[in-house]
Amino acid sequence: MKNHFNPQRRQALSLLASAAVWGVAGKALAASNWPQKPLRLIVPYSAGGVSDIVARLVAQRLSTALGQSIVVDNRPGAAGTMGMNAMVKEGGDGHTFAFTPISPITLSPHLMKVGFDPMKDIVPVAPVMYSPVYVCATEAFKGKTLADAFAQAKSGSVTMACLGFGSVGHIIIEQLRRQTGSNLVPIPYKGDSQLLPDAVGAQFDILLINPSEPVNALVQRGKLRIIAVGSPERLPAVPDVPTLAELGHPDANMTSLFGFVAPTGMAPEVVQRLNTEINRSLQQPELRDRVQKLDNIALSQTPSQFAAAVQSAYEKNGKIIKQANIKAE
């Protein structure tokens, strides 16, 4: 068989190979040159809460690593979905992302109308931590245990505050109400800025909230008393406090997963670079220790691992909400 040499064909193949190489190199170059301007980090809750505090801690280190300033934009409301909607609608510049618990993506869409498709419009970038849920008694509650709260709620009512309808705290309340047949009344707040002063003022009986420096300070001052926790196991900081599972409520024994997400329009190579820099930041002892000091569990995962966790939570929460017939309002 004759081997016919075709210079034109060889040149074409060479150009295609070069284009492929430069395509990969171009993506790498684009990621290395990104960001080209200051970044906007949306936090879908008010300033002072655990989302805001951790977002700012990580943003400080990201800003140094990326060589651009990061502006934190607090967008509270509708159990975090207002902030997620803002990120999806306004984040087409490739320089906007968010830090949030995953509940506005995996819980709220099952309970209310949102302006985005949680599985199509949002890209998980990097998880940061799991956070337990404190079940705290305020000075308005005269009982000692969660069982006392249920007993009181069967003959009267017990008010239980949380961060918005559709939040993890709200779902825990609804699970407990249905499991016990108690008159537990959820009271939603947009953010910590009004929630914590009302807790100090004993405007409600029970508070469900993630740990943060302001919350822990109120516990130390005796303004809040932790009577149960949503956590895989008892917390080292409060070893005598039982988990909700230990108290006979495994379905209500939920935690909050926090992480960074972006609009789907953000380039995959940029998502990967953000993931790398976020994970690198979390390896710094001072930041990791600060996160874990608040009883949170720091995480380090790839975008695909985080996406799998979000997908699983979305499907699981949908089943829980449907089976328990939980309504947002």
Side-chain angles (χ1 to χ4, degrees), residues 6-155:
N6 186 331
Q8 290 182 334
R9 183 172 180 272
R10 177 167 292 184
Q11 183 180 22
L13 290 173
S14 178
L15 287 172
L16 285 172
S18 296
V21 170
W22 280 106
V24 174
K27 287 185 176 182
L29 184 63
S32 64
N33 287 341
W34 179 92
Q36 295 292 324
K37 62 179 182 178
L39 293 136
R40 179 164 61 127
L41 177 60
I42 292 177
V43 177
Y45 296 93
S46 58
V50 62
S51 297
D52 181 69
I53 291 170
V54 175
R56 292 175 188 274
L57 287 172
V58 180
Q60 289 175 1
R61 288 152 180 84
L62 271 182
S63 178
T64 300
L66 297 173
Q68 286 283 359
S69 61
I70 299 178
V71 178
V72 176
D73 183 1
N74 294 92
R75 295 286 192 96
T81 60
M82 286 183 65
M84 290 296 95
N85 191 49
M87 182 196 71
V88 169
K89 303 302 183 187
E90 303 169 17
D93 62 350
H95 287 70
T96 298
F97 61 125
F99 179 76
T100 181
I102 66 171
S103 54
I105 305 169
T106 64
L107 271 175
S108 299
H110 294 294
L111 293 166
M112 63 184 78
K113 290 184 178 181
V114 297
F116 57 90
D117 185 325
M119 295 294 103
K120 293 181 179 179
D121 296 334
I122 296 173
V123 175
V125 175
V128 170
M129 64 188 191
Y130 275 106
S131 184
V133 177
Y134 286 168
V135 181
C136 300
T138 72
E139 292 181 333
F141 180 63
K142 304 307 179 185
K144 293 184 178 180
T145 67
L146 192 59
D148 293 337
F150 298 148
Q152 177 180 320
K154 286 183 178 179
S155 58

Side-chain angles (χ1 to χ4, degrees), residues 79 107-113 162 164-175 177-178 184-188 317-329:
L107 271 175
S108 299
H110 294 294
L111 293 166
M112 63 184 78
K113 290 184 178 181
C162 59
F165 283 116
S167 65
V168 169
H170 174 222
I171 300 304
I172 291 175
I173 294 169
E174 293 293 352
Q175 291 278 65
R177 184 167 70 87
R178 283 167 172 76
L184 306 176
V185 182
I187 302 177
N317 291 334
K319 290 179 181 178
I320 289 173
I321 290 165
K322 184 177 181 179
Q323 290 171 355
N325 194 29
I326 298 172
K327 305 295 183 182
E329 296 179 315

Side-chain angles (χ1 to χ4, degrees), residues 207-221:
L207 167 63
L208 285 87
I209 196 167
N210 297 113
S212 68
E213 290 175 342
V215 171
N216 291 357
L218 293 178
V219 172
Q220 292 173 358
R221 288 168 50 196

Side-chain angles (χ1 to χ4, degrees), residues 8 10 20 73 189 244 252-253 277 324:
Q8 290 182 334
R10 177 167 292 184
D73 183 1
Y189 281 78
L244 288 168
N253 192 48
E277 297 297 351

